[in-house]
Amino acid sequence: MNIRRRFVVSGIVLAFIAAACGESEPADVATLNPEVSPPASTETGEPSPNAPPTDPSEWATTILGESGVDAGVEATAGPNGVQVVMSSTESGLTAWFDAGGGFEPATIGPATSTVSVSVAAVEAVADGFIAAVNESDSFIPQVWFSTDGSGWTQLDTPGIDRPAEVTSLSSLGEGAVIAGALRVGVQPNTGPFEPVIWRSEDLLAWTEVDLGPRTAGTVSGITATPTAEIGRAHV
């Protein structure tokens, strides 16, 4: 039986799906710029046939570097045009950034754990970029920050202190919201799961949003807007 529930959460549009089914299939990923950006025009002024596409309906593939088998790839762009791509390998996170001259490898700082990490989402915020990362050691989600995409630092996240699987995040300008599922079983790696959202106004301290009575499931996606306060759950 499906029950649809609508509710209000300040500043957040969200939808979560509760089901006893398996994990969804990963989506295919494409990135925009070529590995070595060709000139936009020839010496005669004619458009280069190998120039990056400017039509948003056209796509080009970029081979950036190594990533883990079946590792997710997340990408975003900041208001200043910087593009950021993040993935993971067997030894931890890996990332690239493009500030206008083509993609370059980013520096990844020390981490509390690099055991089977996977990137859930990357977003631009007012002062740079943040990434939400899952790991299979403590199962406590990690949050990473970069001012310009070139170097990443793991943040302390007081308030995010329970085993969980993060699925998405959304910028609040100076802060962000992170969504996913709490791992509430005795063995965190096997579930069961309950929906969860954390919110921070400054990326320094995080508060778990009160979702009311919970059912088994996960918050599958979240978007913050200046005024929208509508959510929908399927249980």
Side-chain angles (χ1 to χ4, degrees):
M1 179 176 66
N2 289 332
I3 303 172
R4 293 187 176 182
R5 181 185 304 159
R6 299 180 67 87
F7 52 90
V8 173
V9 178
S10 178
I12 302 169
V13 178
L14 63 90
F16 55 81
I17 301 172
C21 58
E23 297 181 357
S24 60
E25 292 295 323
D28 292 334
V29 177
T31 55
L32 289 176
N33 283 5
E35 183 175 13
V36 178
S37 299
S41 61
T42 64
E43 293 181 358
T44 61
E46 296 295 323
S48 170
N50 297 318
T54 57
D55 185 338
S57 66
E58 299 178 4
W59 293 79
T61 299
T62 304
I63 306 301
L64 294 173
E66 180 186 2
S67 64
V69 176
D70 295 328
V73 178
E74 297 294 329
T76 192
N80 55 359
V82 175
Q83 299 177 65
V84 168
V85 179
M86 182 173 277
S87 187
S88 60
T89 67
E90 292 182 357
S91 59
L93 297 176
T94 184
W96 302 265
F97 73 103
D98 181 356
F103 279 102
E104 302 176 47
T107 301
I108 305 295
T112 54
S113 175
T114 60
V115 177
S116 298
V117 293
S118 61
V119 183
V122 180
E123 278 282 346
V125 292
D127 296 328
F129 300 90
I130 62 169
V133 175
N134 293 306
E135 56 100 334
S136 60
D137 183 11
S138 67
F139 294 100
I140 305 297
Q142 301 174 3
V143 179
W144 289 74
F145 176 78
S146 176
T147 56
D148 59 6
S150 65
W152 290 84
T153 302
Q154 186 180 349
L155 299 178
D156 291 330
T157 53
I160 301 180
D161 52 9
R162 294 202 278 171
E165 182 81 6
V166 171
T167 60
S168 58
L169 69 86
S170 187
S171 172
L172 292 172
E174 299 290 337
V177 286
I178 291 177
L182 290 174
R183 296 176 176 269
V184 297
V186 176
Q187 299 295 330
N189 60 322
T190 60
F193 302 92
E194 291 182 356
V196 67
I197 296 171
W198 287 285
R199 181 186 182 101
S200 176
E201 302 297 336
D202 55 11
L203 305 183
L204 300 177
W206 295 81
T207 301
E208 187 175 324
V209 176
D210 183 6
L211 299 179
R214 305 189 197 203
T215 59
T218 183
V219 182
S220 60
I222 192 165
T223 301
T225 71
T227 58
E229 299 178 344
I230 301 173
R232 175 172 290 178
H234 297 263
V235 298

